[in-house]
Amino acid sequence: MRLISLAAAQGVTQAMQYLGMTYYSKILDETNGTYLPAPTHLAIYWSAKAAKQGSACGIAQLAGSLLVASHVWHGRRQFSVHRSLAMEDLTPGHATLPTVMRLVRKVKTFRDKTANKIVETMMNKQYLKTLKKYCAVCKNSVHDRKDVELKACSTCKVYYYCGKKCQTRHWKLGHKIDCQKHWCQSLFSPELLN
Protein backbone atom coordinates (compact mmCIF):
# COMPACT_ATOMS: atom_id res chain seq x y z
CA MET A 1 0.00 0.00 0.00
CA ARG A 2 2.93 2.31 0.73
CA LEU A 3 4.30 1.99 -2.82
CA ILE A 4 0.89 2.63 -4.32
CA SER A 5 0.51 5.73 -2.14
CA LEU A 6 3.91 6.98 -3.31
CA ALA A 7 3.01 6.33 -6.95
CA ALA A 8 -0.31 8.16 -6.50
CA ALA A 9 1.46 11.11 -4.86
CA GLN A 10 3.77 11.27 -7.91
CA GLY A 11 0.78 11.47 -10.26
CA VAL A 12 0.24 7.89 -11.49
CA THR A 13 -3.45 7.80 -12.44
CA GLN A 14 -3.89 4.03 -11.93
CA ALA A 15 -2.48 4.32 -8.40
CA MET A 16 -4.90 7.16 -7.64
CA GLN A 17 -7.81 5.06 -8.93
CA TYR A 18 -6.67 2.10 -6.84
CA LEU A 19 -6.48 4.19 -3.66
CA GLY A 20 -9.88 5.75 -4.36
CA MET A 21 -11.45 2.31 -4.82
CA THR A 22 -9.65 0.89 -1.77
CA TYR A 23 -10.95 3.63 0.52
CA TYR A 24 -14.40 3.43 -1.11
CA SER A 25 -14.56 -0.30 -0.39
CA LYS A 26 -13.70 0.36 3.26
CA ILE A 27 -16.78 2.58 3.58
CA LEU A 28 -19.27 -0.07 2.50
CA ASP A 29 -19.55 -3.19 4.63
CA GLU A 30 -20.84 -5.61 2.04
CA THR A 31 -21.52 -8.41 4.53
CA ASN A 32 -24.67 -6.71 5.80
CA GLY A 33 -25.13 -3.74 3.43
CA THR A 34 -24.35 -1.03 5.97
CA TYR A 35 -22.08 1.99 5.69
CA LEU A 36 -19.13 2.33 8.02
CA PRO A 37 -17.82 5.70 9.18
CA ALA A 38 -14.51 5.17 7.41
CA PRO A 39 -12.14 7.41 5.46
CA THR A 40 -14.76 8.91 3.14
CA HIS A 41 -12.67 12.02 2.52
CA LEU A 42 -9.75 9.89 1.34
CA ALA A 43 -11.99 8.00 -1.09
CA ILE A 44 -13.20 11.34 -2.49
CA TYR A 45 -9.72 12.86 -2.52
CA TRP A 46 -8.01 10.08 -4.49
CA SER A 47 -10.97 9.56 -6.85
CA ALA A 48 -11.00 13.31 -7.53
CA LYS A 49 -7.26 13.27 -8.24
CA ALA A 50 -7.73 10.43 -10.76
CA ALA A 51 -10.71 12.25 -12.28
CA LYS A 52 -8.66 15.43 -12.67
CA GLN A 53 -6.17 13.40 -14.74
CA GLY A 54 -9.03 12.70 -17.19
CA SER A 55 -9.81 9.17 -16.01
CA ALA A 56 -13.39 8.09 -16.71
CA CYS A 57 -13.07 5.45 -13.97
CA GLY A 58 -11.86 8.16 -11.59
CA ILE A 59 -14.93 10.28 -12.34
CA ALA A 60 -17.19 7.24 -11.82
CA GLN A 61 -15.46 6.44 -8.51
CA LEU A 62 -15.80 10.08 -7.44
CA ALA A 63 -19.55 9.95 -8.11
CA GLY A 64 -19.86 6.72 -6.11
CA SER A 65 -17.74 8.05 -3.26
CA LEU A 66 -19.85 11.22 -3.01
CA LEU A 67 -23.06 9.22 -3.04
CA VAL A 68 -21.94 6.86 -0.26
CA ALA A 69 -20.25 9.66 1.69
CA SER A 70 -23.49 11.65 1.80
CA HIS A 71 -25.14 8.68 3.51
CA VAL A 72 -22.30 8.47 6.05
CA TRP A 73 -22.24 12.23 6.67
CA HIS A 74 -25.99 12.31 7.32
CA GLY A 75 -25.80 9.40 9.74
CA ARG A 76 -27.60 6.83 7.59
CA ARG A 77 -26.45 3.28 8.17
CA GLN A 78 -28.36 1.55 5.35
CA PHE A 79 -29.61 2.52 1.93
CA SER A 80 -33.39 2.73 1.63
CA VAL A 81 -35.24 4.39 -1.23
CA HIS A 82 -38.00 5.91 0.89
CA ARG A 83 -35.68 6.84 3.76
CA SER A 84 -33.31 8.51 1.29
CA LEU A 85 -36.15 10.56 -0.13
CA ALA A 86 -37.02 11.69 3.38
CA MET A 87 -33.39 12.52 4.19
CA GLU A 88 -32.89 14.44 0.97
CA ASP A 89 -36.01 16.38 1.88
CA LEU A 90 -34.71 17.24 5.36
CA THR A 91 -31.34 18.48 4.16
CA PRO A 92 -31.69 20.85 1.20
CA GLY A 93 -28.39 22.59 0.73
CA HIS A 94 -26.54 19.39 1.69
CA ALA A 95 -27.66 16.95 -1.00
CA THR A 96 -24.86 15.61 -3.19
CA LEU A 97 -27.20 13.90 -5.67
CA PRO A 98 -27.26 16.73 -8.27
CA THR A 99 -23.44 16.77 -8.32
CA VAL A 100 -23.32 12.97 -8.51
CA MET A 101 -25.71 12.92 -11.46
CA ARG A 102 -23.67 15.55 -13.31
CA LEU A 103 -20.59 13.36 -12.84
CA VAL A 104 -22.52 10.29 -14.07
CA ARG A 105 -23.57 12.17 -17.22
CA LYS A 106 -19.91 13.14 -17.73
CA VAL A 107 -18.82 9.47 -17.45
CA LYS A 108 -21.29 8.46 -20.15
CA THR A 109 -19.63 10.84 -22.62
CA PHE A 110 -16.42 8.79 -22.38
CA ARG A 111 -18.02 5.54 -23.60
CA ASP A 112 -15.64 3.66 -21.30
CA LYS A 113 -17.06 0.20 -20.50
CA THR A 114 -15.29 -0.12 -17.14
CA ALA A 115 -16.41 3.34 -15.98
CA ASN A 116 -19.98 2.69 -17.10
CA LYS A 117 -19.94 -0.62 -15.20
CA ILE A 118 -18.87 1.27 -12.05
CA VAL A 119 -21.75 3.73 -12.56
CA GLU A 120 -24.30 0.94 -13.11
CA THR A 121 -23.10 -0.86 -9.96
CA MET A 122 -23.30 2.19 -7.69
CA MET A 123 -26.49 3.83 -8.95
CA ASN A 124 -29.72 2.49 -7.52
CA LYS A 125 -32.06 2.71 -10.51
CA GLN A 126 -35.10 2.16 -8.31
CA TYR A 127 -34.15 5.26 -6.31
CA LEU A 128 -33.86 7.36 -9.48
CA LYS A 129 -37.21 6.08 -10.75
CA THR A 130 -38.78 6.96 -7.39
CA LEU A 131 -37.48 10.54 -7.65
CA LYS A 132 -39.29 10.90 -11.00
CA LYS A 133 -42.62 9.87 -9.46
CA TYR A 134 -42.84 12.37 -6.58
CA CYS A 135 -42.72 16.12 -6.18
CA ALA A 136 -39.58 16.94 -4.20
CA VAL A 137 -41.49 19.33 -1.93
CA CYS A 138 -45.10 18.26 -1.38
CA LYS A 139 -44.61 14.59 -2.29
CA ASN A 140 -47.53 14.65 -4.73
CA SER A 141 -47.28 11.48 -6.74
CA VAL A 142 -48.14 10.84 -10.37
CA HIS A 143 -50.05 7.81 -9.04
CA ASP A 144 -52.10 9.78 -6.49
CA ARG A 145 -53.18 12.55 -8.84
CA LYS A 146 -53.48 11.86 -12.54
CA ASP A 147 -53.68 15.60 -13.33
CA VAL A 148 -50.18 16.18 -11.94
CA GLU A 149 -47.41 16.35 -14.52
CA LEU A 150 -44.06 16.50 -12.82
CA LYS A 151 -41.32 18.57 -14.41
CA ALA A 152 -37.62 18.20 -13.68
CA CYS A 153 -35.34 20.96 -12.49
CA SER A 154 -33.92 22.35 -15.72
CA THR A 155 -30.37 22.60 -14.33
CA CYS A 156 -29.70 19.35 -12.45
CA LYS A 157 -32.52 17.21 -13.89
CA VAL A 158 -32.64 15.24 -10.62
CA TYR A 159 -35.57 16.63 -8.63
CA TYR A 160 -39.13 16.85 -9.97
CA TYR A 161 -41.86 19.34 -9.12
CA CYS A 162 -45.63 19.50 -9.55
CA GLY A 163 -45.58 23.25 -10.11
CA LYS A 164 -43.73 26.55 -9.95
CA LYS A 165 -44.70 27.09 -6.29
CA CYS A 166 -43.01 23.86 -5.12
CA GLN A 167 -39.96 24.48 -7.30
CA THR A 168 -39.52 28.01 -5.90
CA ARG A 169 -39.93 26.75 -2.32
CA HIS A 170 -37.32 23.99 -2.83
CA TRP A 171 -34.94 26.50 -4.45
CA LYS A 172 -35.19 28.83 -1.44
CA LEU A 173 -34.80 25.95 1.05
CA GLY A 174 -31.37 25.17 -0.36
CA HIS A 175 -31.67 23.45 -3.72
CA LYS A 176 -30.00 26.55 -5.15
CA ILE A 177 -26.82 25.46 -3.36
CA ASP A 178 -27.15 21.79 -4.36
CA CYS A 179 -27.93 22.58 -7.97
CA GLN A 180 -25.35 25.23 -8.78
CA LYS A 181 -22.26 25.14 -6.56
CA HIS A 182 -22.40 22.51 -3.85
CA TRP A 183 -19.66 22.66 -1.20
CA CYS A 184 -18.42 19.17 -2.14
CA GLN A 185 -17.36 20.58 -5.53
CA SER A 186 -14.54 22.36 -3.74
CA LEU A 187 -12.95 18.91 -3.30
CA PHE A 188 -12.36 18.55 -7.05
CA SER A 189 -11.82 20.74 -10.10
CA PRO A 190 -14.93 22.50 -11.52
CA GLU A 191 -14.10 21.54 -15.13
CA LEU A 192 -15.13 17.95 -14.29
CA LEU A 193 -18.75 19.07 -14.32
CA ASN A 194 -18.64 20.86 -17.68
Side-chain angles (χ1 to χ4, degrees):
M1 187 71 150
R2 182 172 160 78
L3 290 175
I4 293 170
S5 297
L6 288 171
Q10 291 177 356
V12 178
T13 305
Q14 292 85 354
M16 292 174 192
Q17 284 176 240
Y18 180 81
L19 285 177
M21 190 54 79
T22 301
Y23 287 117
Y24 174 81
S25 65
K26 288 181 181 181
I27 299 168
L28 184 62
D29 180 5
E30 296 192 18
T31 56
N32 59 5
T34 60
Y35 298 117
L36 303 172
T40 54
H41 288 79
L42 289 172
I44 293 168
Y45 176 80
W46 286 113
S47 298
K49 288 283 226 179
K52 192 173 183 178
Q53 299 281 337
S55 165
C57 289
I59 297 171
Q61 285 176 212
L62 176 59
S65 297
L66 285 171
L67 191 62
V68 172
S70 71
H71 287 266
V72 173
W73 294 333
H74 294 299
R76 286 173 260 170
R77 299 307 249 169
Q78 281 191 309
F79 186 84
S80 161
V81 172
H82 298 293
R83 188 150 184 250
S84 291
L85 277 172
M87 282 301 279
E88 290 286 346
D89 201 30
L90 292 173
T91 56
H94 301 281
T96 58
L97 195 57
T99 303
V100 167
M101 291 309 296
R102 287 169 69 186
L103 290 169
V104 166
R105 286 192 287 273
K106 178 80 170 188
V107 167
K108 291 184 179 185
T109 64
F110 281 90
R111 298 188 197 323
D112 182 302
K113 288 182 182 179
T114 307
N116 282 316
K117 185 87 167 164
I118 293 170
V119 167
E120 286 174 21
T121 303
M122 72 166 187
M123 292 306 296
N124 185 323
K125 291 182 181 174
Q126 182 63 37
Y127 176 58
L128 297 177
K129 286 179 183 175
T130 303
L131 284 174
K132 292 179 181 181
K133 294 178 184 176
Y134 293 94
C135 174
V137 177
C138 67
K139 301 296 183 230
N140 270 337
S141 168
V142 291
H143 298 298
D144 296 341
R145 294 180 49 199
K146 299 294 180 194
D147 63 324
V148 174
E149 183 183 334
L150 300 178
K151 294 186 180 175
C153 171
S154 60
T155 306
C156 71
K157 298 169 183 63
V158 172
Y159 295 106
Y160 287 75
Y161 306 100
C162 62
K164 189 78 173 158
K165 183 178 172 185
C166 284
Q167 186 175 10
T168 304
R169 182 164 178 242
H170 198 230
W171 188 259
K172 288 178 181 177
L173 285 172
H175 181 61
K176 178 180 182 178
I177 298 164
D178 298 335
C179 195
Q180 292 180 336
K181 180 76 170 130
H182 193 277
W183 68 267
C184 70
Q185 292 176 23
S186 64
L187 300 173
F188 52 89
S189 56
E191 59 269 4
L192 284 177
L193 298 173
N194 297 330

